[in-house]
Amino acid sequence: MTTVQDKETPVSMQEVMSAVGRLQCAADALAAIGARAADTEDNMPPEVAAAVDGILAAAGVPDPRELPPPQRAMVAAYVRSAFGQATDVLAAPAKLAWSYTDPAVLEGQGRGSMMMPTFIAQTGEVGDVTSFLDVGTGVGWLAVGATQVWPGCTVVGIDTWEPALERARANVAEAGAADRIELRNQSLVDLDDTDRFDLTWLPSFFLSTEALATGAARILAATRSGGQVVVARYDPPPDPLAEAALRLRTVRDGGSWPAIEEIVQTLEGAGWTDVRMISTPGPVPLTFVAGRKA
């Protein structure tokens, strides 16, 4: 890829602004999708609604109002979160950790993750779950999702970002799941449970390489015999720009993007058995790597 430094001629303002204008269209289109999903009472003025629908049609995006209400809310929240995270790049480009306080970012990320237990169950690889560990629980929606997918399941959600945990406590209470979800301000490397969990969710994109390796051993000790861990990694998008943007977000969140082979080696090195990649259902842009405690 050619960089600014590689070019022999100076970069022109026209060249830069042409790129800005082109990418602004994508930002406007994303905003239109979020606005349509959030407009639950059809409060848009007719002329605005027509313009928004024109953008959706031009982009080939189905009307999000046709989604079930929970999924519609998830789309709106995810778009708000995307804009919040993008704004944060401008405001704090030196940041290297997940430290957002904007409710739109926190809730959007959490709502987007709520379907992960459903996706894991749909793989057919885990069976019934009675005790679930949610690493990086954030605002708690993934933990709530786990209680809905596995009705007899209790959940421990750990995180070190207190602003997210404050919202998690409120969300868990609102969902009526406070008696089944325990929330802890705890780092993965400090996990000290023994033989407790039969499934753990481990998102590599929020963990450094070192934390992932240490955490794999901690989780093994905390897992019951026959229990499993599911490590998630982002699949590189086919579009180079999309991949570069996703890598930027992962780096700024303090996460890593290990190759599948690296995850396998990390799990096997920690003592996990039956380590394998499992198929994800539908258009989920993630790869799941699972391991089992002998």
Side-chain angles (χ1 to χ4, degrees):
M1 181 177 66
T2 301
T3 66
V4 173
Q5 290 79 7
D6 294 331
K7 301 184 70 170
E8 295 180 359
T9 57
V11 175
S12 70
M13 183 66 171
Q14 181 179 0
E15 185 179 10
V16 173
M17 289 307 298
S18 175
V20 169
R22 183 177 69 254
L23 295 173
Q24 182 182 352
C25 290
D28 290 342
L30 183 59
I33 295 170
R36 236 337 171 197
D39 187 27
T40 57
E41 298 181 1
D42 293 328
N43 287 328
M44 284 187 190
E47 60 272 29
V48 174
V52 166
D53 291 342
I55 290 178
L56 298 184
V61 178
D63 191 339
R65 293 176 299 174
E66 297 178 8
L67 292 170
Q71 295 180 15
R72 183 173 173 176
M74 189 181 299
V75 170
Y78 187 85
V79 171
R80 291 192 192 100
S81 179
F83 274 100
Q85 292 179 65
T87 300
D88 194 69
V89 175
L90 290 172
K95 186 169 72 175
L96 278 173
W98 178 268
S99 55
Y100 296 99
T101 56
D102 182 350
V105 173
L106 296 174
E107 290 292 330
Q109 187 70 37
R111 289 284 185 181
S113 70
M114 193 174 183
M115 291 296 292
M116 291 304 141
T118 298
F119 295 147
I120 293 172
Q122 288 174 348
T123 67
E125 293 277 346
V126 300
D128 191 32
V129 175
T130 60
S131 184
F132 181 82
L133 175 62
D134 177 17
V135 176
T137 195
V139 296
W141 287 119
L142 192 152
V144 171
T147 64
Q148 295 172 349
V149 171
W150 300 292
C153 176
T154 59
V155 180
V156 172
I158 64 173
D159 208 302
T160 58
W161 186 232
E162 188 58 34
L165 285 170
E166 288 179 6
R167 301 192 70 86
R169 296 181 189 106
N171 290 338
V172 166
E174 179 185 340
D179 60 333
R180 295 174 57 194
I181 298 175
E182 175 189 351
L183 298 170
R184 303 177 186 169
N185 189 325
Q186 184 179 41
S187 169
L188 174 59
V189 299
D190 294 326
L191 185 70
D192 56 2
D193 296 80
T194 303
D195 300 329
R196 175 168 183 176
F197 305 106
D198 46 30
L199 182 63
T200 293
W201 165 255
L202 187 60
S204 66
F205 33 83
F206 289 125
L207 296 166
S208 68
T209 302
E210 296 76 16
L212 190 62
T214 303
R218 293 283 191 274
I219 294 168
L220 183 67
T223 300
R224 298 170 180 165
S225 178
Q228 299 194 74
V229 61
V230 173
V231 182
R233 72 179 290 275
Y234 286 131
D235 285 336
D239 176 59
L241 177 57
E243 178 179 353
L246 190 55
R247 285 188 182 276
L248 171 62
R249 185 185 303 175
T250 302
V251 168
R252 293 191 75 249
D253 290 345
S256 58
W257 200 324
I260 295 172
E261 296 77 11
E262 293 177 282
I263 296 175
V264 170
Q265 291 172 3
T266 295
L267 292 180
E268 290 180 341
W272 292 90
T273 63
D274 188 25
V275 178
R276 76 274 184 206
M277 187 174 70
I278 58 179
S279 299
T280 52
V284 182
L286 299 172
T287 295
F288 292 164
V289 179
R292 190 184 309 274
K293 183 173 182 176

